[in-house]
Amino acid sequence: MRRRRRLLPLAFVAVAVAALAGCAPTPAPAPTSTTRSASPTTGTVQVQRPGRSVTVLDSPDAVTRALGASRTLFAASPGAVVTRAGSAAGVRAAAAAAGRLRVPLLLVPSDAGTSLDAVRGELARLSATWVAPVGRVPAIPGVHRVDPATQAPPAHAGAASPAIAVVDDEAADAAGVATARAAGADVVPVTTCDLTRSPAAVSALADHADAPAVLLGAGFATAPSAAWTVAAARTGFQLPGGGQRPLPGHRFVALYGVPGVPTLGALGDQGPAASIRRVKALAKQYEPLSDEPVVPTLEIIATVAAGAPGPDRDYSNESDPASLKPWVDAALQAGVEVVLDLQSGRSDFLAQAKQYASLLAQPNVGLALDPEWRLGPHQVPLEQIGRVSAAEVNGTSAWLADLVTARHLPPKPFVLHEFRLTMLQDRVKILDRPQLTTFIHVDGQGGQPDKQATWRAVRNGAPSFVGWGWKNFLHKDHPMLTPAQTMHDVHPAPDLITYQ
């Protein structure tokens, strides 16, 4: 959970490589330093630091991605290894040659009739006077051909810059990976282009938090914002079990309630330290039952529906954010997630959420909306079940997503409570936002047949992107399910299990 740092030389590049295809390319950046001339067999290689904090090379074409890697990481080179795209064996052999020579690896199109202008242009930018062809490579005017097996490695100007190459599919981008290694990169494999889901990417980027990052791979064209995911990864924050994104890959077990008010939930029975111990013990009971890491969580009711209108006439009592900060700080230190729950009364969820921006700016704090207590202008608590429009939910989630992006935060849980279909109006219009993981939390209570019926009814027709929450009531369920029963009798097994 803690950010890890070490002192490194200032020159650094982080390279992430993926292999998904069919997406619009992002143009490669222009070189950030000038090139130099070289003789046919001598000259000096000059690697370079990218001019952007995050560079994305996401063309669907491997030839273009390989050119982009060379353009991004090399200022000059007397030569380059060249091979034809599309031949896995040829590219592997060429990658080995580029590694020995420590020069870029460029690809020529597999179609013999395709123009070589892009490759010629990159060789000219590098001031390259020779190429080391591997396999059947057409002649390239203006440069000499040398034997890659006997050509001596050229000199490098200064030390190679330390680099991290985060690779989704090394085989698919072997040329770009070889170029990164030739520039001094170490390679870290990952299995997703969403860096917030990759423990390896988060650890690597956090260890080199001040480094420029180069994301290489077609999959980044459709991945969440590169600038945000890199910045979030560099915080080093990770959930138990690794990674930053709540789902998929984690299960949450929570205590629910109001600090200091035992009648409103199990969290109110004890203070912060004891609540953390209690929820950790509860989460531990689920560990042998879950195929995913279990995250202990405190769901704190930050605004409580009230029987009296109060000074602001909204029938909701708002906790002072300062009074909740010790809970948030203790949870962060202990590796425990926090969700702030809003019972907004006649106020609206967005207005109340903004009051807790300072707490929501913490990496371990998510947000829950409880429409049961979202009242109309003439309604009061307990006289009816409240409701909220999809537009208000989307407005609140948009504000929270913007906060996540602006503060470089990891993705947050966004929980919507529901036990009647009327509570979330037009819920098919609720938007999925990459900065958030949305849960629908089914709050039915009483006998198990009724709870199971509510579970099935609420799940029917829900948005496909949501995770699912189940609530165990300590005093109102008959009987309350054990952890084993919760995991085995509720289908599918809940992603978030709350105790009230």
Side-chain angles (χ1 to χ4, degrees), residues 326-351:
W327 290 76
V328 170
D329 292 346
L332 180 60
Q333 182 67 25
V336 171
E337 195 78 354
V338 174
V339 175
L340 299 180
D341 186 88
L342 305 181
Q343 299 179 358
S344 61
R346 293 183 183 177
S347 182
D348 65 88
F349 286 124
L350 177 57

Side-chain angles (χ1 to χ4, degrees), residues 256-346:
Y256 178 92
V258 180
V261 186
T263 57
L264 293 180
L267 182 140
D269 289 338
Q270 59 281 304
S275 290
I276 287 170
R277 290 193 298 270
R278 183 176 177 182
V279 77
K280 282 189 168 184
L282 189 58
K284 195 171 186 63
Q285 296 181 46
Y286 281 86
E287 290 177 358
L289 305 170
S290 176
D291 57 0
E292 298 172 315
V294 180
V295 182
T297 304
L298 303 178
E299 185 169 354
I300 301 173
I301 308 175
T303 67
V304 186
D312 52 12
R313 313 294 297 177
D314 66 0
Y315 287 86
S316 179
N317 293 330
E318 298 87 1
S319 299
D320 184 345
S323 71
L324 302 181
K325 189 174 185 302
W327 290 76
V328 170
D329 292 346
L332 180 60
Q333 182 67 25
V336 171
E337 195 78 354
V338 174
V339 175
L340 299 180
D341 186 88
L342 305 181
Q343 299 179 358
S344 61
R346 293 183 183 177

Side-chain angles (χ1 to χ4, degrees), residues 127-218:
S127 297
T129 57
W130 57 262
V131 295
V134 175
R136 298 181 61 184
V137 176
I140 301 175
V143 292
H144 298 268
R145 295 166 72 93
V146 301
D147 186 343
T150 60
Q151 172 66 30
H156 274 240
S161 63
I164 298 294
V166 185
V167 184
D168 175 64
D169 187 338
E170 190 171 354
D173 267 297
V177 171
T179 295
R181 285 187 169 130
D186 295 325
V187 173
V188 178
V190 298
T191 58
T192 173
C193 290
D194 181 354
L195 301 182
T196 67
R197 291 182 56 192
S198 171
V202 172
S203 296
L205 289 167
D207 283 346
H208 307 88
D210 297 325
V214 179
L215 310 186
L216 172 62

Side-chain angles (χ1 to χ4, degrees), residues 45-67:
V45 173
Q46 180 68 55
V47 298
Q48 68 184 0
R49 181 184 177 95
R52 304 174 184 171
S53 61
V54 181
T55 301
V56 184
L57 306 175
D58 58 4
S59 168
D61 175 39
V63 173
T64 303
R65 296 197 301 274
L67 288 168

